Amino acid sequence: MNIIELENRLNEKLSPHLIKDYCPNGLQVEGKSEVKKVVTGVTASQALIEKAIELNADAILVHHGYFWKGEPEPIRGMKGKRIRSLIQNDINLIAYHLPLDIHPELGNNAELARLLDIQVEGGLEGHEQSVAIYGRLKQPVSGKVFAETIAAVLNREPLHITPDNQDKPIETVGWCTGGGQDFIELAANRGLDAFISGEISERTTYTARERDIHYFSAGHHATERYGIKALGEWLANEHGLDVTFIDIDNPV
């Protein structure tokens, strides 16, 4: 498939024009014109690029790409090495950030709901493009049981901050994969029993305790493996590309 056609197909699926983001979505570094082999991963790290080179990939498709707002603009150091590796090996880099977080079928939030068996009910921000959503478990569980479920599903033990009432059962849950910890306030305002995000801040602990809500920090990388993996599987199934998901270990 031609790289421009591939980008167009991805844009049609993810609709990046509908959301304001912190980085460019789509083709970020152009390589060879024809794409047959695609490597997918969470972040376009040097380790992922080296794996793509080993596999003779024509393109890398990630959630976290380059050219973030506010980052230093010169292409030097670590950033320069990554981009040189792509260009020297004629590999395309394609990235989708918030559009992949919020996609109702393939997105990070949707995939986390599927894995944890949560029925999605709506967006915490009150609209369809919300980057944080909420839903309901089939039956109430304790905080301990829910933490064990998250650990089993994501292969990473979450940090569990309990409310003052540690025995409070969990039935309604809000979540935002990655760095969405501050949406805990909206979850508490809605009266939800628990909130999940990837990252935690110092202030998050006190919010959970004082707003009577269970909080689970399940890891930025761990909560965002599954959207890009699902997107790659969609490309393989719908468009016949050879797609390999590479999970570069990241404890954060």
Side-chain angles (χ1 to χ4, degrees), residues 186-231:
L186 290 181
N189 291 344
R190 189 172 284 276
L192 302 181
D193 302 319
F195 184 74
I196 308 165
S197 66
E199 296 184 15
I200 183 173
S201 297
E202 186 266 355
R203 59 188 174 273
T204 320
T205 296
Y206 302 109
T207 302
R209 291 173 178 169
E210 296 175 33
R211 296 298 306 274
D212 192 36
I213 184 170
H214 288 273
Y215 171 73
F216 302 89
S217 173
H220 196 133
H221 179 87
T223 57
E224 296 196 330
R225 288 189 194 107
Y226 303 99
I228 196 67
K229 187 172 184 292
L231 183 61

mmCIF file of all heavy atoms in Angstrom, residues 186-231:
data_model
loop_
_atom_site.group_PDB
_atom_site.id
_atom_site.type_symbol
_atom_site.label_atom_id
_atom_site.label_comp_id
_atom_site.label_asym_id
_atom_site.label_seq_id
_atom_site.Cartn_x
_atom_site.Cartn_y
_atom_site.Cartn_z
ATOM 1 N N LEU A 186 -13.410 15.018 38.135
ATOM 2 C CA LEU A 186 -14.692 14.843 37.450
ATOM 3 C C LEU A 186 -15.352 13.542 37.873
ATOM 4 O O LEU A 186 -16.577 13.465 38.008
ATOM 5 C CB LEU A 186 -14.491 14.857 35.933
ATOM 6 C CG LEU A 186 -14.100 16.193 35.287
ATOM 7 C CD1 LEU A 186 -13.972 16.030 33.779
ATOM 8 C CD2 LEU A 186 -15.133 17.260 35.624
ATOM 9 N N ALA A 187 -14.535 12.505 38.081
ATOM 10 C CA ALA A 187 -15.075 11.220 38.530
ATOM 11 C C ALA A 187 -15.695 11.356 39.912
ATOM 12 O O ALA A 187 -16.789 10.832 40.183
ATOM 13 C CB ALA A 187 -13.968 10.167 38.543
ATOM 14 N N ALA A 188 -15.016 12.079 40.803
ATOM 15 C CA ALA A 188 -15.550 12.295 42.149
ATOM 16 C C ALA A 188 -16.815 13.152 42.104
ATOM 17 O O ALA A 188 -17.790 12.893 42.827
ATOM 18 C CB ALA A 188 -14.488 12.942 43.027
ATOM 19 N N ASN A 189 -16.814 14.170 41.244
ATOM 20 C CA ASN A 189 -18.012 15.020 41.114
ATOM 21 C C ASN A 189 -19.222 14.223 40.660
ATOM 22 O O ASN A 189 -20.366 14.537 41.036
ATOM 23 C CB ASN A 189 -17.750 16.151 40.118
ATOM 24 C CG ASN A 189 -16.765 17.168 40.637
ATOM 25 O OD1 ASN A 189 -16.473 17.225 41.834
ATOM 26 N ND2 ASN A 189 -16.219 17.990 39.741
ATOM 27 N N ARG A 190 -18.988 13.194 39.838
ATOM 28 C CA ARG A 190 -20.082 12.361 39.352
ATOM 29 C C ARG A 190 -20.480 11.306 40.391
ATOM 30 O O ARG A 190 -21.461 10.601 40.200
ATOM 31 C CB ARG A 190 -19.671 11.698 38.026
ATOM 32 C CG ARG A 190 -20.786 10.976 37.309
ATOM 33 C CD ARG A 190 -20.366 10.524 35.931
ATOM 34 N NE ARG A 190 -20.342 11.623 34.994
ATOM 35 C CZ ARG A 190 -21.404 12.069 34.335
ATOM 36 N NH1 ARG A 190 -22.587 11.501 34.521
ATOM 37 N NH2 ARG A 190 -21.297 13.069 33.495
ATOM 38 N N GLY A 191 -19.727 11.194 41.466
ATOM 39 C CA GLY A 191 -20.049 10.242 42.512
ATOM 40 C C GLY A 191 -19.625 8.823 42.196
ATOM 41 O O GLY A 191 -20.201 7.869 42.743
ATOM 42 N N LEU A 192 -18.635 8.662 41.336
ATOM 43 C CA LEU A 192 -18.176 7.320 40.979
ATOM 44 C C LEU A 192 -17.419 6.684 42.145
ATOM 45 O O LEU A 192 -16.869 7.362 43.010
ATOM 46 C CB LEU A 192 -17.280 7.383 39.747
ATOM 47 C CG LEU A 192 -17.895 7.994 38.483
ATOM 48 C CD1 LEU A 192 -16.893 7.962 37.338
ATOM 49 C CD2 LEU A 192 -19.177 7.284 38.084
ATOM 50 N N ASP A 193 -17.378 5.377 42.130
ATOM 51 C CA ASP A 193 -16.731 4.641 43.208
ATOM 52 C C ASP A 193 -15.219 4.544 43.024
ATOM 53 O O ASP A 193 -14.480 4.377 44.008
ATOM 54 C CB ASP A 193 -17.292 3.213 43.294
ATOM 55 C CG ASP A 193 -18.792 3.193 43.502
ATOM 56 O OD1 ASP A 193 -19.288 4.023 44.286
ATOM 57 O OD2 ASP A 193 -19.458 2.338 42.868
ATOM 58 N N ALA A 194 -14.739 4.610 41.771
ATOM 59 C CA ALA A 194 -13.312 4.416 41.507
ATOM 60 C C ALA A 194 -12.896 5.163 40.255
ATOM 61 O O ALA A 194 -13.723 5.463 39.382
ATOM 62 C CB ALA A 194 -12.990 2.927 41.345
ATOM 63 N N PHE A 195 -11.597 5.430 40.175
ATOM 64 C CA PHE A 195 -11.021 6.050 38.980
ATOM 65 C C PHE A 195 -9.680 5.397 38.688
ATOM 66 O O PHE A 195 -8.897 5.127 39.605
ATOM 67 C CB PHE A 195 -10.841 7.556 39.156
ATOM 68 C CG PHE A 195 -10.336 8.240 37.916
ATOM 69 C CD1 PHE A 195 -11.181 8.435 36.837
ATOM 70 C CD2 PHE A 195 -9.017 8.645 37.813
ATOM 71 C CE1 PHE A 195 -10.717 9.035 35.668
ATOM 72 C CE2 PHE A 195 -8.548 9.250 36.660
ATOM 73 C CZ PHE A 195 -9.412 9.442 35.580
ATOM 74 N N ILE A 196 -9.424 5.160 37.394
ATOM 75 C CA ILE A 196 -8.175 4.542 36.942
ATOM 76 C C ILE A 196 -7.482 5.492 35.966
ATOM 77 O O ILE A 196 -8.123 6.051 35.070
ATOM 78 C CB ILE A 196 -8.430 3.224 36.186
ATOM 79 C CG1 ILE A 196 -9.311 2.272 36.984
ATOM 80 C CG2 ILE A 196 -7.120 2.548 35.807
ATOM 81 C CD1 ILE A 196 -9.870 1.134 36.133
ATOM 82 N N SER A 197 -6.176 5.647 36.122
ATOM 83 C CA SER A 197 -5.380 6.308 35.087
ATOM 84 C C SER A 197 -4.033 5.602 35.016
ATOM 85 O O SER A 197 -3.762 4.680 35.785
ATOM 86 C CB SER A 197 -5.193 7.802 35.384
ATOM 87 O OG SER A 197 -4.417 8.007 36.541
ATOM 88 N N GLY A 198 -3.199 6.035 34.076
ATOM 89 C CA GLY A 198 -1.880 5.441 33.980
ATOM 90 C C GLY A 198 -0.953 6.026 35.019
ATOM 91 O O GLY A 198 -0.368 5.317 35.834
ATOM 92 N N GLU A 199 -0.821 7.363 35.018
ATOM 93 C CA GLU A 199 0.092 8.046 35.916
ATOM 94 C C GLU A 199 -0.618 8.585 37.150
ATOM 95 O O GLU A 199 -1.837 8.769 37.148
ATOM 96 C CB GLU A 199 0.767 9.208 35.181
ATOM 97 C CG GLU A 199 1.642 8.776 34.024
ATOM 98 C CD GLU A 199 2.363 9.946 33.378
ATOM 99 O OE1 GLU A 199 2.414 11.047 33.996
ATOM 100 O OE2 GLU A 199 2.874 9.779 32.260
ATOM 101 N N ILE A 200 0.156 8.851 38.183
ATOM 102 C CA ILE A 200 -0.339 9.468 39.409
ATOM 103 C C ILE A 200 0.524 10.682 39.726
ATOM 104 O O ILE A 200 1.720 10.703 39.417
ATOM 105 C CB ILE A 200 -0.319 8.476 40.590
ATOM 106 C CG1 ILE A 200 -0.920 9.118 41.851
ATOM 107 C CG2 ILE A 200 1.084 7.945 40.852
ATOM 108 C CD1 ILE A 200 -1.094 8.148 43.005
ATOM 109 N N SER A 201 -0.088 11.704 40.333
ATOM 110 C CA SER A 201 0.638 12.859 40.854
ATOM 111 C C SER A 201 0.528 12.867 42.371
ATOM 112 O O SER A 201 -0.329 12.193 42.947
ATOM 113 C CB SER A 201 0.053 14.162 40.288
ATOM 114 O OG SER A 201 0.199 14.219 38.880
ATOM 115 N N GLU A 202 1.374 13.639 43.001
ATOM 116 C CA GLU A 202 1.337 13.732 44.469
ATOM 117 C C GLU A 202 -0.041 14.143 44.960
ATOM 118 O O GLU A 202 -0.562 13.601 45.937
ATOM 119 C CB GLU A 202 2.420 14.724 44.928
ATOM 120 C CG GLU A 202 2.614 14.820 46.426
ATOM 121 C CD GLU A 202 1.804 15.928 47.083
ATOM 122 O OE1 GLU A 202 1.139 16.700 46.350
ATOM 123 O OE2 GLU A 202 1.820 16.012 48.318
ATOM 124 N N ARG A 203 -0.675 15.069 44.248
ATOM 125 C CA ARG A 203 -1.978 15.579 44.674
ATOM 126 C C ARG A 203 -3.097 14.548 44.536
ATOM 127 O O ARG A 203 -4.130 14.650 45.206
ATOM 128 C CB ARG A 203 -2.329 16.826 43.871
ATOM 129 C CG ARG A 203 -2.382 16.579 42.367
ATOM 130 C CD ARG A 203 -2.551 17.868 41.577
ATOM 131 N NE ARG A 203 -2.459 17.623 40.140
ATOM 132 C CZ ARG A 203 -1.314 17.610 39.465
ATOM 133 N NH1 ARG A 203 -0.168 17.817 40.093
ATOM 134 N NH2 ARG A 203 -1.302 17.391 38.162
ATOM 135 N N THR A 204 -2.894 13.566 43.655
ATOM 136 C CA THR A 204 -3.941 12.578 43.402
ATOM 137 C C THR A 204 -4.278 11.793 44.656
ATOM 138 O O THR A 204 -5.445 11.448 44.890
ATOM 139 C CB THR A 204 -3.518 11.595 42.291
ATOM 140 O OG1 THR A 204 -2.842 12.294 41.252
ATOM 141 C CG2 THR A 204 -4.724 10.870 41.719
ATOM 142 N N THR A 205 -3.287 11.505 45.471
ATOM 143 C CA THR A 205 -3.499 10.741 46.700
ATOM 144 C C THR A 205 -4.516 11.428 47.597
ATOM 145 O O THR A 205 -5.456 10.798 48.101
ATOM 146 C CB THR A 205 -2.165 10.568 47.460
ATOM 147 O OG1 THR A 205 -1.280 9.803 46.658
ATOM 148 C CG2 THR A 205 -2.379 9.875 48.793
ATOM 149 N N TYR A 206 -4.353 12.732 47.788
ATOM 150 C CA TYR A 206 -5.239 13.454 48.690
ATOM 151 C C TYR A 206 -6.636 13.605 48.112
ATOM 152 O O TYR A 206 -7.631 13.563 48.836
ATOM 153 C CB TYR A 206 -4.631 14.816 49.023
ATOM 154 C CG TYR A 206 -3.265 14.670 49.655
ATOM 155 C CD1 TYR A 206 -2.120 15.017 48.953
ATOM 156 C CD2 TYR A 206 -3.127 14.133 50.926
ATOM 157 C CE1 TYR A 206 -0.864 14.849 49.519
ATOM 158 C CE2 TYR A 206 -1.880 13.962 51.501
ATOM 159 C CZ TYR A 206 -0.760 14.319 50.794
ATOM 160 O OH TYR A 206 0.485 14.137 51.347
ATOM 161 N N THR A 207 -6.711 13.747 46.794
ATOM 162 C CA THR A 207 -8.027 13.817 46.155
ATOM 163 C C THR A 207 -8.798 12.535 46.398
ATOM 164 O O THR A 207 -9.983 12.561 46.753
ATOM 165 C CB THR A 207 -7.884 14.059 44.643
ATOM 166 O OG1 THR A 207 -7.163 15.272 44.416
ATOM 167 C CG2 THR A 207 -9.244 14.153 43.971
ATOM 168 N N ALA A 208 -8.146 11.400 46.203
ATOM 169 C CA ALA A 208 -8.811 10.111 46.401
ATOM 170 C C ALA A 208 -9.282 9.958 47.840
ATOM 171 O O ALA A 208 -10.441 9.574 48.098
ATOM 172 C CB ALA A 208 -7.872 8.970 46.030
ATOM 173 N N ARG A 209 -8.422 10.265 48.782
ATOM 174 C CA ARG A 209 -8.782 10.106 50.191
ATOM 175 C C ARG A 209 -9.895 11.051 50.612
ATOM 176 O O ARG A 209 -10.828 10.657 51.312
ATOM 177 C CB ARG A 209 -7.546 10.333 51.063
ATOM 178 C CG ARG A 209 -6.483 9.244 50.935
ATOM 179 C CD ARG A 209 -5.227 9.629 51.689
ATOM 180 N NE ARG A 209 -4.211 8.578 51.623
ATOM 181 C CZ ARG A 209 -2.951 8.748 52.021
ATOM 182 N NH1 ARG A 209 -2.556 9.921 52.513
ATOM 183 N NH2 ARG A 209 -2.087 7.750 51.920
ATOM 184 N N GLU A 210 -9.795 12.297 50.178
ATOM 185 C CA GLU A 210 -10.728 13.318 50.667
ATOM 186 C C GLU A 210 -12.031 13.382 49.887
ATOM 187 O O GLU A 210 -13.029 13.904 50.388
ATOM 188 C CB GLU A 210 -10.033 14.681 50.663
ATOM 189 C CG GLU A 210 -8.858 14.745 51.626
ATOM 190 C CD GLU A 210 -8.080 16.048 51.547
ATOM 191 O OE1 GLU A 210 -8.704 17.095 51.269
ATOM 192 O OE2 GLU A 210 -6.849 16.027 51.771
ATOM 193 N N ARG A 211 -12.041 12.811 48.644
ATOM 194 C CA ARG A 211 -13.270 12.816 47.844
ATOM 195 C C ARG A 211 -13.967 11.462 47.878
ATOM 196 O O ARG A 211 -14.914 11.230 47.127
ATOM 197 C CB ARG A 211 -12.964 13.220 46.399
ATOM 198 C CG ARG A 211 -12.429 14.640 46.203
ATOM 199 C CD ARG A 211 -13.406 15.724 46.639
ATOM 200 N NE ARG A 211 -14.700 15.587 46.022
ATOM 201 C CZ ARG A 211 -15.019 16.095 44.812
ATOM 202 N NH1 ARG A 211 -14.111 16.770 44.131
ATOM 203 N NH2 ARG A 211 -16.220 15.935 44.321
ATOM 204 N N ASP A 212 -13.500 10.541 48.698
ATOM 205 C CA ASP A 212 -14.159 9.243 48.914
ATOM 206 C C ASP A 212 -14.243 8.424 47.628
ATOM 207 O O ASP A 212 -15.307 7.966 47.226
ATOM 208 C CB ASP A 212 -15.561 9.463 49.497
ATOM 209 C CG ASP A 212 -16.188 8.161 50.008
ATOM 210 O OD1 ASP A 212 -15.445 7.319 50.534
ATOM 211 O OD2 ASP A 212 -17.420 7.991 49.859
ATOM 212 N N ILE A 213 -13.081 8.239 46.975
ATOM 213 C CA ILE A 213 -13.066 7.483 45.731
ATOM 214 C C ILE A 213 -11.807 6.612 45.676
ATOM 215 O O ILE A 213 -10.706 7.072 46.001
ATOM 216 C CB ILE A 213 -13.136 8.441 44.509
ATOM 217 C CG1 ILE A 213 -13.216 7.656 43.197
ATOM 218 C CG2 ILE A 213 -11.984 9.431 44.494
ATOM 219 C CD1 ILE A 213 -13.523 8.553 41.993
ATOM 220 N N HIS A 214 -11.956 5.348 45.308
ATOM 221 C CA HIS A 214 -10.801 4.485 45.083
ATOM 222 C C HIS A 214 -10.040 5.002 43.863
ATOM 223 O O HIS A 214 -10.645 5.390 42.854
ATOM 224 C CB HIS A 214 -11.245 3.051 44.791
ATOM 225 C CG HIS A 214 -11.791 2.316 45.964
ATOM 226 N ND1 HIS A 214 -11.003 1.604 46.844
ATOM 227 C CD2 HIS A 214 -13.075 2.157 46.398
ATOM 228 C CE1 HIS A 214 -11.761 1.030 47.760
ATOM 229 N NE2 HIS A 214 -13.027 1.352 47.524
ATOM 230 N N TYR A 215 -8.714 4.962 43.942
ATOM 231 C CA TYR A 215 -7.907 5.367 42.792
ATOM 232 C C TYR A 215 -6.865 4.293 42.488
ATOM 233 O O TYR A 215 -6.221 3.750 43.397
ATOM 234 C CB TYR A 215 -7.211 6.705 43.041
ATOM 235 C CG TYR A 215 -6.218 7.031 41.958
ATOM 236 C CD1 TYR A 215 -6.657 7.419 40.694
ATOM 237 C CD2 TYR A 215 -4.851 6.895 42.166
ATOM 238 C CE1 TYR A 215 -5.755 7.670 39.675
ATOM 239 C CE2 TYR A 215 -3.942 7.142 41.153
ATOM 240 C CZ TYR A 215 -4.398 7.530 39.906
ATOM 241 O OH TYR A 215 -3.508 7.758 38.899
ATOM 242 N N PHE A 216 -6.694 4.033 41.186
ATOM 243 C CA PHE A 216 -5.719 3.035 40.740
ATOM 244 C C PHE A 216 -4.813 3.650 39.686
ATOM 245 O O PHE A 216 -5.283 4.084 38.630
ATOM 246 C CB PHE A 216 -6.429 1.818 40.145
ATOM 247 C CG PHE A 216 -7.374 1.146 41.093
ATOM 248 C CD1 PHE A 216 -8.706 1.549 41.176
ATOM 249 C CD2 PHE A 216 -6.941 0.107 41.915
ATOM 250 C CE1 PHE A 216 -9.585 0.925 42.054
ATOM 251 C CE2 PHE A 216 -7.817 -0.514 42.793
ATOM 252 C CZ PHE A 216 -9.141 -0.102 42.863
ATOM 253 N N SER A 217 -3.512 3.694 39.980
ATOM 254 C CA SER A 217 -2.526 4.095 38.984
ATOM 255 C C SER A 217 -1.959 2.814 38.381
ATOM 256 O O SER A 217 -1.240 2.069 39.040
ATOM 257 C CB SER A 217 -1.408 4.911 39.634
ATOM 258 O OG SER A 217 -0.378 5.162 38.701
ATOM 259 N N ALA A 218 -2.300 2.561 37.124
ATOM 260 C CA ALA A 218 -1.985 1.266 36.508
ATOM 261 C C ALA A 218 -0.845 1.329 35.500
ATOM 262 O O ALA A 218 -0.563 0.341 34.828
ATOM 263 C CB ALA A 218 -3.241 0.704 35.837
ATOM 264 N N GLY A 219 -0.188 2.491 35.380
ATOM 265 C CA GLY A 219 0.959 2.604 34.482
ATOM 266 C C GLY A 219 0.615 3.220 33.139
ATOM 267 O O GLY A 219 -0.318 2.773 32.473
ATOM 268 N N HIS A 220 1.348 4.261 32.767
ATOM 269 C CA HIS A 220 1.091 4.921 31.479
ATOM 270 C C HIS A 220 1.246 3.932 30.331
ATOM 271 O O HIS A 220 0.361 3.782 29.491
ATOM 272 C CB HIS A 220 2.052 6.103 31.312
ATOM 273 C CG HIS A 220 1.663 7.057 30.246
ATOM 274 N ND1 HIS A 220 1.646 8.420 30.435
ATOM 275 C CD2 HIS A 220 1.255 6.869 28.963
ATOM 276 C CE1 HIS A 220 1.250 9.020 29.324
ATOM 277 N NE2 HIS A 220 1.022 8.089 28.407
ATOM 278 N N HIS A 221 2.383 3.259 30.300
ATOM 279 C CA HIS A 221 2.633 2.299 29.218
ATOM 280 C C HIS A 221 1.651 1.136 29.272
ATOM 281 O O HIS A 221 1.085 0.744 28.247
ATOM 282 C CB HIS A 221 4.069 1.778 29.324
ATOM 283 C CG HIS A 221 4.432 0.770 28.296
ATOM 284 N ND1 HIS A 221 4.925 1.112 27.055
ATOM 285 C CD2 HIS A 221 4.356 -0.589 28.296
ATOM 286 C CE1 HIS A 221 5.155 0.025 26.345
ATOM 287 N NE2 HIS A 221 4.818 -1.029 27.074
ATOM 288 N N ALA A 222 1.436 0.595 30.463
ATOM 289 C CA ALA A 222 0.582 -0.591 30.600
ATOM 290 C C ALA A 222 -0.852 -0.328 30.160
ATOM 291 O O ALA A 222 -1.497 -1.192 29.561
ATOM 292 C CB ALA A 222 0.606 -1.086 32.044
ATOM 293 N N THR A 223 -1.362 0.857 30.432
ATOM 294 C CA THR A 223 -2.752 1.165 30.046
ATOM 295 C C THR A 223 -2.873 1.542 28.583
ATOM 296 O O THR A 223 -3.996 1.603 28.061
ATOM 297 C CB THR A 223 -3.334 2.313 30.908
ATOM 298 O OG1 THR A 223 -2.500 3.480 30.790
ATOM 299 C CG2 THR A 223 -3.433 1.904 32.365
ATOM 300 N N GLU A 224 -1.738 1.797 27.905
ATOM 301 C CA GLU A 224 -1.822 2.257 26.520
ATOM 302 C C GLU A 224 -1.183 1.291 25.525
ATOM 303 O O GLU A 224 -0.916 1.658 24.385
ATOM 304 C CB GLU A 224 -1.224 3.664 26.398
ATOM 305 C CG GLU A 224 -2.048 4.664 27.203
ATOM 306 C CD GLU A 224 -1.788 6.111 26.859
ATOM 307 O OE1 GLU A 224 -0.651 6.446 26.460
ATOM 308 O OE2 GLU A 224 -2.722 6.912 26.992
ATOM 309 N N ARG A 225 -0.971 0.049 25.943
ATOM 310 C CA ARG A 225 -0.498 -0.970 25.004
ATOM 311 C C ARG A 225 -1.564 -1.349 23.983
ATOM 312 O O ARG A 225 -1.262 -1.702 22.848
ATOM 313 C CB ARG A 225 -0.159 -2.263 25.751
ATOM 314 C CG ARG A 225 1.044 -2.289 26.604
ATOM 315 C CD ARG A 225 1.286 -3.732 27.046
ATOM 316 N NE ARG A 225 2.226 -3.849 28.134
ATOM 317 C CZ ARG A 225 1.887 -4.146 29.372
ATOM 318 N NH1 ARG A 225 0.609 -4.317 29.690
ATOM 319 N NH2 ARG A 225 2.811 -4.257 30.311
ATOM 320 N N TYR A 226 -2.804 -1.321 24.391
ATOM 321 C CA TYR A 226 -3.821 -2.098 23.690
ATOM 322 C C TYR A 226 -4.527 -1.360 22.558
ATOM 323 O O TYR A 226 -5.025 -1.993 21.636
ATOM 324 C CB TYR A 226 -4.815 -2.647 24.718
ATOM 325 C CG TYR A 226 -4.087 -3.462 25.758
ATOM 326 C CD1 TYR A 226 -3.762 -2.924 26.995
ATOM 327 C CD2 TYR A 226 -3.636 -4.743 25.448
ATOM 328 C CE1 TYR A 226 -3.035 -3.664 27.925
ATOM 329 C CE2 TYR A 226 -2.913 -5.486 26.374
ATOM 330 C CZ TYR A 226 -2.615 -4.936 27.607
ATOM 331 O OH TYR A 226 -1.882 -5.654 28.519
ATOM 332 N N GLY A 227 -4.525 -0.030 22.583
ATOM 333 C CA GLY A 227 -5.105 0.703 21.469
ATOM 334 C C GLY A 227 -4.287 0.547 20.206
ATOM 335 O O GLY A 227 -4.811 0.222 19.139
ATOM 336 N N ILE A 228 -2.972 0.764 20.320
ATOM 337 C CA ILE A 228 -2.113 0.652 19.136
ATOM 338 C C ILE A 228 -2.064 -0.789 18.643
ATOM 339 O O ILE A 228 -1.970 -1.045 17.431
ATOM 340 C CB ILE A 228 -0.698 1.212 19.438
ATOM 341 C CG1 ILE A 228 0.069 1.477 18.148
ATOM 342 C CG2 ILE A 228 0.075 0.303 20.371
ATOM 343 C CD1 ILE A 228 -0.486 2.597 17.301
ATOM 344 N N LYS A 229 -2.134 -1.732 19.565
ATOM 345 C CA LYS A 229 -2.164 -3.141 19.176
ATOM 346 C C LYS A 229 -3.433 -3.444 18.385
ATOM 347 O O LYS A 229 -3.409 -4.115 17.348
ATOM 348 C CB LYS A 229 -2.080 -4.033 20.410
ATOM 349 C CG LYS A 229 -1.946 -5.515 20.127
ATOM 350 C CD LYS A 229 -1.685 -6.267 21.435
ATOM 351 C CE LYS A 229 -1.435 -7.754 21.169
ATOM 352 N NZ LYS A 229 -2.616 -8.460 20.685
ATOM 353 N N ALA A 230 -4.578 -2.931 18.866
ATOM 354 C CA ALA A 230 -5.848 -3.139 18.178
ATOM 355 C C ALA A 230 -5.859 -2.456 16.818
ATOM 356 O O ALA A 230 -6.397 -2.998 15.840
ATOM 357 C CB ALA A 230 -7.004 -2.618 19.042
ATOM 358 N N LEU A 231 -5.251 -1.270 16.732
ATOM 359 C CA LEU A 231 -5.193 -0.560 15.452
ATOM 360 C C LEU A 231 -4.373 -1.355 14.442
ATOM 361 O O LEU A 231 -4.748 -1.467 13.268
ATOM 362 C CB LEU A 231 -4.592 0.827 15.655
ATOM 363 C CG LEU A 231 -4.522 1.724 14.413
ATOM 364 C CD1 LEU A 231 -5.917 1.989 13.844
ATOM 365 C CD2 LEU A 231 -3.817 3.041 14.745
#
